[in-house]
Amino acid sequence: MQTWVEKVILFVWCGFSYVFLLSPMVVVMGASLHGGEFSAAIKFPPEDPSFQWYSKIPMQQFEALGLSLIVAAVATFLAALIAVPAALGLVRSNFKGKFIVTTIFRAPLQIPAIVSGIAFLQFYYLIYDNSSLMLAGTIPGMLIGHVFIATPFLFGTIVAVLQRFDHRLEEAAHSLGAGKWRTLYRVTIPTIMPGIYSGGLYAFMVSFADVPMSIFLTAPGFVTYPVELFYALENDFDPSILASSSLVILFCLLLLRGVQ
């Protein structure tokens, strides 16, 4: 049993953790409501609150946001098509080299994203030199890179769920006359769906917010949202960036709420 002192300490520590994690978002969203003249400094709390900067968000940021959402959604779907059968095969098999294959699937988590971005860019140029097929600066090339960084998140969560899977559920389905494929999509997949959902959410967020990989695979007129903000902050700060970021924060909060 926890004493009241331990409960108070736990409450204070959790409260401090939430404040530490959420206060930057509160500052950004609050500063986006600043109604005064343009200022290079972030002002919080906002003076004369207004939504004026929301109407001044550049159209290229909305276009970049749409591109990022499409790339992240498609990359997550493709990563799921790879991770689900891979996790099922590796958890339920026993062969030499299993550890090596598992390590390969988890390897992107250990490789710095900027290293992966440079490697993909060099690989695409190597393909171009030998086949005249240019993947850098294209949607297929971007998707390949994002699937690479998204797959380990789905693979890891699905493996964790499968390791606790009750095989008696499948045995019961077989005893009732269900075949292997029917058991798979009526019993196995629904049971591991929480792992697919959580892994897919992680994969989507990682793909959507990626900068190191995307910055090497984009091209003029083909820029993802995080890279667009990176360029905007690097060249000239504008409060409309805070407004644009606030909209994305709200979208992410709604997304997290929707999957609960």
Side-chain angles (χ1 to χ4, degrees), residues 150-168:
T151 300
F153 293 93
L154 274 155
F155 177 79
T157 55
I158 296 171
V159 166
V161 172
L162 284 172
Q163 289 175 340
R164 301 190 302 270
F165 185 83
D166 188 356
H167 295 281
R168 290 177 297 181

PDB file of all heavy atoms in Angstrom, residues 150-168:
ATOM      1  N   ALA A 150       9.599   3.714 -40.757  1.00  0.00           N
ATOM      2  CA  ALA A 150       8.338   3.456 -40.064  1.00  0.00           C
ATOM      3  C   ALA A 150       8.143   1.994 -39.703  1.00  0.00           C
ATOM      4  O   ALA A 150       7.510   1.676 -38.690  1.00  0.00           O
ATOM      5  CB  ALA A 150       7.165   3.926 -40.935  1.00  0.00           C
ATOM      6  N   THR A 151       8.684   1.086 -40.507  1.00  0.00           N
ATOM      7  CA  THR A 151       8.456  -0.344 -40.294  1.00  0.00           C
ATOM      8  C   THR A 151       8.874  -0.845 -38.911  1.00  0.00           C
ATOM      9  O   THR A 151       8.135  -1.638 -38.298  1.00  0.00           O
ATOM     10  CB  THR A 151       9.171  -1.159 -41.386  1.00  0.00           C
ATOM     11  OG1 THR A 151       8.668  -0.778 -42.672  1.00  0.00           O
ATOM     12  CG2 THR A 151       8.955  -2.651 -41.188  1.00  0.00           C
ATOM     13  N   PRO A 152      10.022  -0.454 -38.363  1.00  0.00           N
ATOM     14  CA  PRO A 152      10.414  -0.981 -37.044  1.00  0.00           C
ATOM     15  C   PRO A 152       9.411  -0.694 -35.936  1.00  0.00           C
ATOM     16  O   PRO A 152       9.268  -1.494 -35.012  1.00  0.00           O
ATOM     17  CB  PRO A 152      11.751  -0.282 -36.765  1.00  0.00           C
ATOM     18  CG  PRO A 152      12.271   0.097 -38.101  1.00  0.00           C
ATOM     19  CD  PRO A 152      11.070   0.414 -38.930  1.00  0.00           C
ATOM     20  N   PHE A 153       8.699   0.427 -35.997  1.00  0.00           N
ATOM     21  CA  PHE A 153       7.732   0.752 -34.948  1.00  0.00           C
ATOM     22  C   PHE A 153       6.544  -0.198 -34.997  1.00  0.00           C
ATOM     23  O   PHE A 153       6.068  -0.664 -33.953  1.00  0.00           O
ATOM     24  CB  PHE A 153       7.278   2.203 -35.109  1.00  0.00           C
ATOM     25  CG  PHE A 153       8.356   3.213 -34.857  1.00  0.00           C
ATOM     26  CD1 PHE A 153       9.133   3.699 -35.897  1.00  0.00           C
ATOM     27  CD2 PHE A 153       8.609   3.653 -33.567  1.00  0.00           C
ATOM     28  CE1 PHE A 153      10.135   4.621 -35.655  1.00  0.00           C
ATOM     29  CE2 PHE A 153       9.609   4.573 -33.321  1.00  0.00           C
ATOM     30  CZ  PHE A 153      10.382   5.052 -34.368  1.00  0.00           C
ATOM     31  N   LEU A 154       6.054  -0.490 -36.184  1.00  0.00           N
ATOM     32  CA  LEU A 154       4.987  -1.472 -36.321  1.00  0.00           C
ATOM     33  C   LEU A 154       5.472  -2.871 -35.971  1.00  0.00           C
ATOM     34  O   LEU A 154       4.798  -3.623 -35.269  1.00  0.00           O
ATOM     35  CB  LEU A 154       4.447  -1.435 -37.748  1.00  0.00           C
ATOM     36  CG  LEU A 154       3.358  -0.408 -38.028  1.00  0.00           C
ATOM     37  CD1 LEU A 154       3.330  -0.034 -39.495  1.00  0.00           C
ATOM     38  CD2 LEU A 154       2.000  -0.936 -37.595  1.00  0.00           C
ATOM     39  N   PHE A 155       6.644  -3.224 -36.455  1.00  0.00           N
ATOM     40  CA  PHE A 155       7.184  -4.557 -36.206  1.00  0.00           C
ATOM     41  C   PHE A 155       7.365  -4.810 -34.711  1.00  0.00           C
ATOM     42  O   PHE A 155       6.981  -5.866 -34.197  1.00  0.00           O
ATOM     43  CB  PHE A 155       8.526  -4.701 -36.927  1.00  0.00           C
ATOM     44  CG  PHE A 155       9.212  -6.013 -36.697  1.00  0.00           C
ATOM     45  CD1 PHE A 155       8.819  -7.150 -37.371  1.00  0.00           C
ATOM     46  CD2 PHE A 155      10.268  -6.113 -35.797  1.00  0.00           C
ATOM     47  CE1 PHE A 155       9.448  -8.371 -37.160  1.00  0.00           C
ATOM     48  CE2 PHE A 155      10.909  -7.314 -35.573  1.00  0.00           C
ATOM     49  CZ  PHE A 155      10.497  -8.451 -36.262  1.00  0.00           C
ATOM     50  N   GLY A 156       7.908  -3.842 -33.993  1.00  0.00           N
ATOM     51  CA  GLY A 156       8.163  -4.027 -32.564  1.00  0.00           C
ATOM     52  C   GLY A 156       6.899  -4.196 -31.755  1.00  0.00           C
ATOM     53  O   GLY A 156       6.823  -5.070 -30.868  1.00  0.00           O
ATOM     54  N   THR A 157       5.887  -3.377 -32.016  1.00  0.00           N
ATOM     55  CA  THR A 157       4.644  -3.483 -31.245  1.00  0.00           C
ATOM     56  C   THR A 157       3.885  -4.763 -31.567  1.00  0.00           C
ATOM     57  O   THR A 157       3.308  -5.393 -30.672  1.00  0.00           O
ATOM     58  CB  THR A 157       3.742  -2.267 -31.520  1.00  0.00           C
ATOM     59  OG1 THR A 157       3.521  -2.144 -32.936  1.00  0.00           O
ATOM     60  CG2 THR A 157       4.374  -0.985 -31.016  1.00  0.00           C
ATOM     61  N   ILE A 158       3.897  -5.181 -32.823  1.00  0.00           N
ATOM     62  CA  ILE A 158       3.195  -6.409 -33.194  1.00  0.00           C
ATOM     63  C   ILE A 158       3.894  -7.627 -32.586  1.00  0.00           C
ATOM     64  O   ILE A 158       3.235  -8.561 -32.101  1.00  0.00           O
ATOM     65  CB  ILE A 158       3.099  -6.539 -34.726  1.00  0.00           C
ATOM     66  CG1 ILE A 158       2.258  -5.394 -35.298  1.00  0.00           C
ATOM     67  CG2 ILE A 158       2.489  -7.878 -35.125  1.00  0.00           C
ATOM     68  CD1 ILE A 158       2.280  -5.310 -36.809  1.00  0.00           C
ATOM     69  N   VAL A 159       5.210  -7.628 -32.600  1.00  0.00           N
ATOM     70  CA  VAL A 159       5.953  -8.727 -31.976  1.00  0.00           C
ATOM     71  C   VAL A 159       5.631  -8.807 -30.485  1.00  0.00           C
ATOM     72  O   VAL A 159       5.427  -9.904 -29.938  1.00  0.00           O
ATOM     73  CB  VAL A 159       7.468  -8.538 -32.190  1.00  0.00           C
ATOM     74  CG1 VAL A 159       8.268  -9.465 -31.274  1.00  0.00           C
ATOM     75  CG2 VAL A 159       7.834  -8.812 -33.641  1.00  0.00           C
ATOM     76  N   ALA A 160       5.559  -7.664 -29.816  1.00  0.00           N
ATOM     77  CA  ALA A 160       5.247  -7.660 -28.389  1.00  0.00           C
ATOM     78  C   ALA A 160       3.868  -8.248 -28.109  1.00  0.00           C
ATOM     79  O   ALA A 160       3.683  -8.990 -27.130  1.00  0.00           O
ATOM     80  CB  ALA A 160       5.333  -6.228 -27.855  1.00  0.00           C
ATOM     81  N   VAL A 161       2.889  -7.945 -28.965  1.00  0.00           N
ATOM     82  CA  VAL A 161       1.547  -8.492 -28.782  1.00  0.00           C
ATOM     83  C   VAL A 161       1.524  -9.987 -29.079  1.00  0.00           C
ATOM     84  O   VAL A 161       0.901 -10.775 -28.351  1.00  0.00           O
ATOM     85  CB  VAL A 161       0.539  -7.740 -29.681  1.00  0.00           C
ATOM     86  CG1 VAL A 161      -0.825  -8.420 -29.647  1.00  0.00           C
ATOM     87  CG2 VAL A 161       0.409  -6.294 -29.240  1.00  0.00           C
ATOM     88  N   LEU A 162       2.211 -10.398 -30.134  1.00  0.00           N
ATOM     89  CA  LEU A 162       2.216 -11.821 -30.502  1.00  0.00           C
ATOM     90  C   LEU A 162       2.897 -12.688 -29.449  1.00  0.00           C
ATOM     91  O   LEU A 162       2.535 -13.855 -29.279  1.00  0.00           O
ATOM     92  CB  LEU A 162       2.919 -11.997 -31.855  1.00  0.00           C
ATOM     93  CG  LEU A 162       2.115 -11.602 -33.094  1.00  0.00           C
ATOM     94  CD1 LEU A 162       2.994 -11.632 -34.331  1.00  0.00           C
ATOM     95  CD2 LEU A 162       0.918 -12.535 -33.269  1.00  0.00           C
ATOM     96  N   GLN A 163       3.872 -12.149 -28.754  1.00  0.00           N
ATOM     97  CA  GLN A 163       4.554 -12.929 -27.719  1.00  0.00           C
ATOM     98  C   GLN A 163       3.646 -13.233 -26.537  1.00  0.00           C
ATOM     99  O   GLN A 163       3.933 -14.148 -25.762  1.00  0.00           O
ATOM    100  CB  GLN A 163       5.807 -12.184 -27.263  1.00  0.00           C
ATOM    101  CG  GLN A 163       6.924 -12.175 -28.304  1.00  0.00           C
ATOM    102  CD  GLN A 163       8.104 -11.337 -27.908  1.00  0.00           C
ATOM    103  OE1 GLN A 163       8.005 -10.453 -27.044  1.00  0.00           O
ATOM    104  NE2 GLN A 163       9.245 -11.577 -28.532  1.00  0.00           N
ATOM    105  N   ARG A 164       2.559 -12.480 -26.396  1.00  0.00           N
ATOM    106  CA  ARG A 164       1.596 -12.742 -25.322  1.00  0.00           C
ATOM    107  C   ARG A 164       0.291 -13.333 -25.871  1.00  0.00           C
ATOM    108  O   ARG A 164      -0.707 -13.391 -25.167  1.00  0.00           O
ATOM    109  CB  ARG A 164       1.280 -11.443 -24.564  1.00  0.00           C
ATOM    110  CG  ARG A 164       2.494 -10.785 -23.926  1.00  0.00           C
ATOM    111  CD  ARG A 164       2.080  -9.646 -22.998  1.00  0.00           C
ATOM    112  NE  ARG A 164       1.303  -8.633 -23.699  1.00  0.00           N
ATOM    113  CZ  ARG A 164       1.842  -7.579 -24.295  1.00  0.00           C
ATOM    114  NH1 ARG A 164       3.153  -7.411 -24.304  1.00  0.00           N
ATOM    115  NH2 ARG A 164       1.061  -6.692 -24.901  1.00  0.00           N
ATOM    116  N   PHE A 165       0.335 -13.726 -27.133  1.00  0.00           N
ATOM    117  CA  PHE A 165      -0.872 -14.227 -27.791  1.00  0.00           C
ATOM    118  C   PHE A 165      -1.268 -15.590 -27.224  1.00  0.00           C
ATOM    119  O   PHE A 165      -0.419 -16.463 -27.024  1.00  0.00           O
ATOM    120  CB  PHE A 165      -0.630 -14.331 -29.295  1.00  0.00           C
ATOM    121  CG  PHE A 165      -1.842 -14.715 -30.089  1.00  0.00           C
ATOM    122  CD1 PHE A 165      -2.762 -13.771 -30.465  1.00  0.00           C
ATOM    123  CD2 PHE A 165      -2.063 -16.040 -30.457  1.00  0.00           C
ATOM    124  CE1 PHE A 165      -3.876 -14.101 -31.215  1.00  0.00           C
ATOM    125  CE2 PHE A 165      -3.170 -16.395 -31.189  1.00  0.00           C
ATOM    126  CZ  PHE A 165      -4.088 -15.427 -31.574  1.00  0.00           C
ATOM    127  N   ASP A 166      -2.569 -15.778 -26.980  1.00  0.00           N
ATOM    128  CA  ASP A 166      -3.094 -17.053 -26.469  1.00  0.00           C
ATOM    129  C   ASP A 166      -3.427 -17.951 -27.665  1.00  0.00           C
ATOM    130  O   ASP A 166      -4.435 -17.746 -28.355  1.00  0.00           O
ATOM    131  CB  ASP A 166      -4.333 -16.799 -25.619  1.00  0.00           C
ATOM    132  CG  ASP A 166      -4.811 -18.058 -24.909  1.00  0.00           C
ATOM    133  OD1 ASP A 166      -4.222 -19.142 -25.137  1.00  0.00           O
ATOM    134  OD2 ASP A 166      -5.777 -17.961 -24.121  1.00  0.00           O
ATOM    135  N   HIS A 167      -2.588 -18.963 -27.900  1.00  0.00           N
ATOM    136  CA  HIS A 167      -2.773 -19.835 -29.054  1.00  0.00           C
ATOM    137  C   HIS A 167      -4.019 -20.721 -28.937  1.00  0.00           C
ATOM    138  O   HIS A 167      -4.461 -21.302 -29.932  1.00  0.00           O
ATOM    139  CB  HIS A 167      -1.537 -20.717 -29.232  1.00  0.00           C
ATOM    140  CG  HIS A 167      -0.306 -19.931 -29.586  1.00  0.00           C
ATOM    141  ND1 HIS A 167      -0.060 -19.465 -30.857  1.00  0.00           N
ATOM    142  CD2 HIS A 167       0.735 -19.516 -28.827  1.00  0.00           C
ATOM    143  CE1 HIS A 167       1.086 -18.812 -30.888  1.00  0.00           C
ATOM    144  NE2 HIS A 167       1.587 -18.821 -29.661  1.00  0.00           N
ATOM    145  N   ARG A 168      -4.594 -20.777 -27.749  1.00  0.00           N
ATOM    146  CA  ARG A 168      -5.806 -21.581 -27.589  1.00  0.00           C
ATOM    147  C   ARG A 168      -6.972 -20.985 -28.381  1.00  0.00           C
ATOM    148  O   ARG A 168      -7.903 -21.702 -28.755  1.00  0.00           O
ATOM    149  CB  ARG A 168      -6.173 -21.680 -26.108  1.00  0.00           C
ATOM    150  CG  ARG A 168      -5.201 -22.543 -25.291  1.00  0.00           C
ATOM    151  CD  ARG A 168      -5.555 -22.542 -23.833  1.00  0.00           C
ATOM    152  NE  ARG A 168      -5.439 -21.196 -23.249  1.00  0.00           N
ATOM    153  CZ  ARG A 168      -5.676 -20.925 -21.965  1.00  0.00           C
ATOM    154  NH1 ARG A 168      -6.032 -21.904 -21.138  1.00  0.00           N
ATOM    155  NH2 ARG A 168      -5.544 -19.696 -21.508  1.00  0.00           N
TER     156      ARG A 168
END
